[in-house]
Amino acid sequence: MNIRGLLIITFCLIVIIPMTLFWAWPYSKALDLEIQEVNEKHLVIAKNLSTAFERYYQDILGVFSILETGSQKQVTSPEFNALLKSFQFLEVAAIAENGELQTCIFSHHDQCQPVTDKAILSLAKSTLGEEDIRISTVTEAPNIDANPLLLVVKKLGNQILLGYLSTEYIIKMGKRVSFGEKGHAAIVDQAGQALAHPLASWIKTRKDMSKISAVQKMLAGKTGVDKFYSPALKGDMIAGYTNVPGAGWGVMVPQPIQELEGRAVEIDKAAIMVMLIGVGLACLFAIPVSLLIIKPLENLSKIINSIKRGESKVNLAFSFSKAVPKEIYALKMQFAHMMETIEAKESVIAKLAYFDSNTGLPNRNHFYRLSHKALAKMIKYNQKGALVFIDFDGFKEVNDTYGHKVGDELLYLFGQRLTHYFAINDLTKTELAFYDSLPKVIPARLGGDEFVILLQDVKDKQHVFSVIKDLLDIVFDEYKMNQHLNLKVTGSAGVALFPEDGQEYDQLMRAADLAMYDAKSAGKNTLCFTKPLK
């Protein structure tokens, strides 16, 4: 049975029930209910938009973090160019401090601008952070695109990695929200300039909306409902508003109060015509019918809430009654397919953003995040730990003698031995979920031939020495390469103890690095603590 047939039967039953009594709601009650609905519905819409933009923002950071200006393979890769294009990058290039082009990574014009516009260069520099990726306020670059755009920037030594990002996705998402006669969505950047708005002229001119009270609250990181006067619609508005964590954008869903007043009048008129007896009798039939429809939708709603809480795996295997409309069954199947597609794409992005492509170990940025969580955990439970910094001895000579291909193979095999020693080869879940659970041992590749290992909940210094000494004997042994080479490599390791040598990531990393150099100075192929063993 489909929904249409079910509704026809239900309406027929309601029509034949005698209706003799009326119930009228006062106008003020109807208006209160309309405003209450705004507080609930508009705020939910704003939060949902914020969630979508937060994921979009994180995806942009994830894609931008894996760019390598020195990788010719990446620059010429059609797949990587397609990835940048799918995220609506218009151009990505490495530029010098004076704006001159150094490396053109991607351009929808087939070639990058030889010199960056002075205004763009100034905005890029003012947006830059120390190491992290930043997104600028909305700006314009007519030589790149006729529409407003955002800059994505990152400091790379004495160069700047600069990406021009279209605002088309933000505008498109804003246009999807439309209700009543003038209900809409408005999105502003971190300075209060319009990113998306029903008035195209406001988007084109990057209208400054920072004087609106709701916008000021959004930019202050607040979430709620506010009333204000709109110069665009020339009337009082009520809006649900929130912000996009990380990006600093504001999301507002306003509607004219005059519309609510008009709807309240209509509700008041309609309520007078409602017949209490008719509704009461109709409930005898409507309740079981509504339960039949609502129960599977409630199950889907619970699944959506699970996803919202960040649960990566959800159960879509709940059963339906045979009387459930086929459209609801189809909705469940389509939702399940959508979730499979989303999880597959998120898995690929996470792999690129959080893990080293050669060894499969967490990369520098991911290790930084994991370490902060692990250190906080050890502080909470009064545990001891250690940070081990490992560096190959003479790895440059391997590359110079046998080539980078052999060097990459050696690093891969080293990573395999490292994970095998700590018995983390056979993961029962995805790598991202495994390391997010903060296992006792977290290895990572910082870059080149530098590796680190965070050990949690260790007994004492002697315990750490025993574990790492055994590890070094195994990982720095002879390697049989695919090119029929047998390489004997050695390495030096420095160890910083937690909390003795520091309770923060930077302190431990600096101490372990210095200890590693002490090991190098002691003749290499050895292990040193920040202080000698007693």
Side-chain angles (χ1 to χ4, degrees):
M1 177 185 295
N2 58 28
I3 293 179
R4 181 183 300 175
L6 187 62
L7 290 177
I8 290 174
I9 294 174
T10 303
F11 289 151
C12 288
L13 292 173
I14 293 175
V15 168
I16 63 175
I17 297 175
M19 300 182 180
T20 57
L21 298 177
F22 297 88
W23 173 40
W25 287 347
Y27 169 81
S28 60
K29 181 66 175 178
L31 182 58
D32 289 343
L33 290 175
E34 284 295 309
I35 294 177
Q36 181 180 350
E37 182 181 359
V38 169
N39 291 346
E40 297 173 354
K41 183 178 69 177
H42 291 31
L43 191 55
V44 167
I45 295 173
K47 288 180 178 179
N48 288 343
L49 274 176
S50 172
T51 299
F53 287 137
E54 182 182 7
R55 175 170 292 181
Y56 172 69
Y57 171 75
Q58 293 298 334
D59 287 347
I60 291 297
L61 297 189
V63 170
F64 209 70
S65 69
I66 62 177
L67 290 173
E68 301 175 13
T69 58
S71 173
Q72 188 64 23
K73 182 178 179 181
Q74 187 184 77
V75 172
T76 59
S77 168
E79 294 81 6
F80 196 76
N81 285 344
L83 178 64
L84 292 175
K85 188 174 182 181
S86 69
F87 280 96
Q88 298 180 341
F89 277 99
L90 303 172
E91 182 173 305
V92 180
I95 62 174
E97 292 285 345
N98 61 1
E100 291 184 359
L101 177 66
Q102 301 297 302
T103 305
C104 182
I105 298 175
F106 168 78
S107 174
H108 72 313
H109 291 312
D110 296 328
Q111 60 182 6
C112 297
Q113 299 295 313
V115 179
T116 303
D117 180 80
K118 291 183 179 179
I120 294 295
L121 181 61
S122 175
L123 177 59
K125 288 183 177 180
S126 65
T127 304
L128 277 175
E130 288 298 324
E131 294 182 357
D132 55 342
I133 300 166
R134 300 284 183 87
I135 297 182
S136 73
T137 55
V138 64
T139 186
E140 59 180 0
N143 55 337
I144 300 295
D145 193 82
N147 299 311
L149 46 76
L150 300 168
L151 304 181
V152 186
V153 294
K154 180 181 180 181
K155 186 71 173 176
L156 289 178
N158 60 356
Q159 296 183 2
I160 300 173
L161 190 59
L162 173 63
Y164 297 85
L165 182 65
S166 170
T167 58
E168 181 182 347
Y169 172 79
I170 300 174
I171 296 172
K172 185 183 296 184
M173 290 293 289
K175 288 181 178 180
R176 290 183 179 179
V177 178
S178 177
F179 47 88
E181 294 183 6
K182 296 181 179 180
H184 62 276
I187 297 94
V188 299
D189 67 10
Q190 55 268 46
Q193 301 176 99
L195 282 170
H197 193 276
L199 296 179
S201 60
W202 280 35
I203 300 175
K204 187 70 176 177
T205 60
R206 297 170 285 141
K207 180 72 173 182
D208 185 0
M209 302 169 61
S210 60
K211 293 184 179 180
I212 297 175
S213 60
V215 174
Q216 293 173 355
K217 293 175 181 178
M218 287 190 296
L219 299 183
K222 297 180 180 179
T223 296
V225 176
D226 191 28
K227 295 180 181 179
F228 61 93
Y229 178 80
S230 170
L233 300 179
K234 295 181 174 57
D236 292 328
M237 309 287 286
I238 184 169
Y241 64 87
T242 187
N243 63 91
V244 180
W249 304 332
V251 179
M252 178 171 61
V253 180
Q255 185 174 12
I257 293 179
Q258 186 177 3
E259 282 189 22
L260 302 183
E261 293 172 345
R263 286 169 56 182
V265 171
E266 294 300 321
I267 292 174
D268 188 48
K269 292 179 181 179
I272 296 175
M273 302 180 64
V274 175
M275 302 179 181
L276 294 178
I277 292 180
V279 171
L281 293 175
C283 284
L284 295 176
F285 300 95
I287 289 176
V289 171
S290 63
L291 288 176
L292 186 66
I293 298 175
I294 291 173
K295 187 61 177 178
L297 295 180
E298 286 179 341
N299 289 332
L300 282 176
S301 178
K302 291 179 181 178
I303 292 171
I304 292 172
N305 287 331
S306 297
I307 297 170
K308 189 176 180 181
R309 290 193 298 269
E311 298 177 15
S312 59
K313 297 295 182 181
V314 294
N315 179 23
L316 289 169
F318 57 85
S319 60
F320 284 143
S321 167
K322 293 182 179 179
V324 168
K326 61 183 182 181
E327 288 87 349
I328 294 181
Y329 178 79
L331 175 63
K332 174 207 169 183
M333 301 308 296
Q334 292 168 2
F335 184 81
H337 177 70
M338 179 188 73
M339 286 306 306
E340 291 175 357
T341 302
I342 291 175
E343 288 178 358
K345 290 184 178 179
E346 287 184 342
S347 177
V348 172
I349 293 174
K351 193 74 174 178
L352 292 171
Y354 299 119
F355 292 90
D356 175 54
S357 60
N358 189 15
T359 64
L361 297 174
N363 60 23
R364 180 188 293 270
N365 290 335
H366 193 33
F367 181 74
Y368 176 83
R369 287 189 289 269
L370 294 172
S371 297
H372 275 274
K373 294 179 181 178
L375 293 176
K377 177 182 175 183
M378 287 192 286
I379 291 174
K380 179 178 179 181
Y381 294 105
N382 195 27
Q383 296 174 345
K384 295 183 177 181
L387 181 65
V388 185
F389 196 113
I390 300 175
D391 187 86
F392 280 62
D393 297 329
F395 182 73
K396 183 177 183 300
E397 285 74 8
V398 173
N399 279 336
D400 292 343
T401 305
Y402 302 106
H404 288 277
K405 184 176 181 180
V406 171
D408 288 344
E409 183 183 353
L410 177 60
L411 293 175
Y412 168 77
L413 294 175
F414 178 84
Q416 293 294 302
R417 287 190 184 182
L418 193 63
T419 55
H420 180 72
Y421 176 80
F422 289 113
I424 55 177
N425 285 35
D426 299 326
L427 302 180
T428 58
K429 47 189 172 181
T430 65
E431 292 93 332
L432 189 61
F434 175 80
Y435 286 109
D436 280 345
S437 66
L438 299 180
K440 286 191 175 182
V441 178
I442 303 176
R445 181 189 178 192
L446 297 183
D449 59 340
E450 294 180 342
F451 292 81
V452 287
I453 305 169
L454 180 64
L455 303 176
Q456 303 175 71
D457 194 17
V458 301
K459 295 179 181 178
D460 50 33
K461 188 174 184 177
Q462 188 60 43
H463 174 215
V464 175
F465 178 83
S466 176
V467 171
I468 301 306
K469 186 67 172 63
D470 290 345
L471 169 66
L472 295 180
D473 290 342
I474 291 174
V475 296
F476 288 117
D477 197 358
E478 188 174 73
Y479 284 85
K480 294 183 179 180
M481 316 298 288
N482 287 335
Q483 288 81 2
H484 305 293
L485 294 173
N486 291 336
L487 293 180
K488 174 67 176 180
V489 294
T490 62
S492 302
V495 182
L497 297 176
F498 172 88
E500 295 95 317
D501 299 326
Q503 296 190 27
E504 297 183 359
Y505 174 86
D506 291 338
Q507 293 174 330
L508 290 170
M509 185 64 76
R510 184 164 53 252
D513 190 21
L514 291 174
M516 185 273 294
Y517 278 105
D518 289 341
K520 293 274 189 185
S521 300
K524 302 182 179 180
N525 192 27
T526 187
L527 165 66
C528 282
F529 285 77
T530 53
K531 295 179 181 179
L533 284 171
K534 295 180 179 179

